[in-house]
Amino acid sequence: MSTSPETAPLVDLQRLFVAIRRRKRLWLATALLGLIAGAAVAVVLPAPPTAVTKVIVVHQDDSPTDSGTLMRTDVAVLSTTQIAEGALKKLGSTESAEEFMKNYAGLGLTNNVMQITVKAKSNEEAVAQAQALADVFIADHVRRSQAAAAAQSKAILDQRKNAQDELTKVDQQIADETGKGRNANASTLEGLYGRRAALASQISDFDSRAQQAGIGSPQVAAGTQIVDAPRALPKAFLKTTATNAGIGFALGLALGIAFAAIGAVSRDRPVLRREISTHLGASVLAQLPSKPRGPARLWRRSRAVSERKRVATTLVRAIKKDQPQVSLLELGAPKVAAALAVDIAEELDGSASVVDDLPKEDVRKLVAETKSEVAVVGAGDPEAAPDERRIGVGTVSPGTAWTDLTHLGQETVLVVKAGHANTLWLHTVARQLADQQIPIVGVVLVDPDPRDKSDGTLWDGLHTALRGRAKAAPSVHRVSVVEHEDRIDELAARIAERVAVVEPPTRRIAPVRPVAPPPAKPPLPEPGKVSVPDHLDAPTKKFAPVKPPKRPTPFKRDHGEPTHKGELNAGLESEKSAEVS
């Protein structure tokens, strides 16, 4: 049964989180810069002197169900040029109303309480401006309330006048109808009397309402007032600095994490063990931390050295079993590769030298700094003696001369820094080493993620991994098709298993096996010396021709004649006797 290949996710969350965590220096640096910038803003650009006042505003149409609409209207009225011009006129200032409106603001605390905040050049000026704004707003609010009451009173008086005119007409009609005496219509008089009573009632109501409206809204005028006198706010320098620094820290942290996430997705640099192992086509043998920086050197140096020694011991055990020369090729970690090569040479008891082919000659510098007794030679020096082991140290970074890598070693161990190279370059390194027929024994991963628990092992790479060398003969130098058919069978079986699981079915082709050469033929003898066997000169045996049998006659047995078989045998016997003679 065929299974469709698994679709790779658009964004690998594990890889994204690991990449963000590895770039913690970036987003911590941006967060620190934001913190410093926020604190600097509080110092360089201090808050101007500020004054606040609170005004209680009574609305004529106020109700408990109001959702704050009336207070929002008052805040909008406060931010008008009419109020700003009135306050400036009261202060005697020549500043424009538009500029003054930028320095104050209103805020509705409740449905009836508004706070006015004013910024100025000094505390005294801010307090004076806040007082002027509050006075102008209160006067404008009371004036608008009284104007509304006056308009309402006028409207009521106009309606009363209309009702009085109509009542005069009704009285005139009643007088005319009453003057007819007995000819007067009783029903008409009754309707006129009812109409006159209704109009009289309306006029009385209009009189009372007009008197009420004429009084105005005394509760509005009396209730709208300043409840908190204007006062200058104290300058809380520490609080302002801490607030600005916290805001800058949060913005810087968010910006740094965003940059790290975008870089992790766009740069495509593998950091997980399984990704690096897959792209290079070799298993991860060990991992080493990067060189400690800063104060961490004091307590992490011994641990890093011990881990490097342990990895060097593992590689030395593999080198002692095999004769081919092994090289260390770095990708983003030249100093770690140089230190690892020196440790390997020291573990070989002085019988090995190091070939320094690094661009900056890190091996020579390290040997000079540590005063090690390891011999360091150049890539162009003469070949090593038969009993001398050389460990080549080179690089596979961009610009590498690929054809020169064969002089450093027949096999190689890659020292790769996690997150240094992108996927394309890892594929390039694997392809170039394969073209040069340099097997990759394994990968030493430098500066891995401490929380990465992926395996990083290629189970179909047993012929080059260290775990497969125990099955190989000690004299094996390279991966040979003829000498290691069992490994080819194992590799073919594993590849077929992987194809059956993750790839659609294809035609299965048997692995190519070497054709054994035919056995060597003996050389031909010289002419004239060829002897012919005796049996080849013997006369050819003559066989008697097959004759058709005679057809027996009827009743032949009754006359004592020989049978058909007897006749044929008799003829053969005579021929045989003649031949022998």
Side-chain angles (χ1 to χ4, degrees), residues 4 9 34 42 49 51 128 199 204 221 230 291-292 300 324 333-334 345 377 413 424 429 544:
S4 59
L199 290 174
S204 177
K291 187 176 181 181
R300 292 182 56 185
V377 297
V413 176
L424 179 61
V429 171

Side-chain angles (χ1 to χ4, degrees), residues 446-491:
V446 179
D447 193 17
D449 182 70
R451 300 184 183 180
D452 182 15
K453 304 301 181 182
S454 58
D455 187 15
T457 302
L458 293 183
W459 295 102
D460 55 357
L462 188 63
H463 57 288
T464 57
L466 290 180
R467 68 181 190 277
R469 295 183 173 232
K471 299 181 179 180
S475 60
V476 177
H477 293 187
R478 289 173 177 260
V479 179
S480 175
V481 177
V482 179
E483 298 177 358
H484 302 285
E485 294 184 359
D486 54 344
R487 297 181 182 179
I488 295 178
D489 294 339
E490 180 184 357
L491 177 60

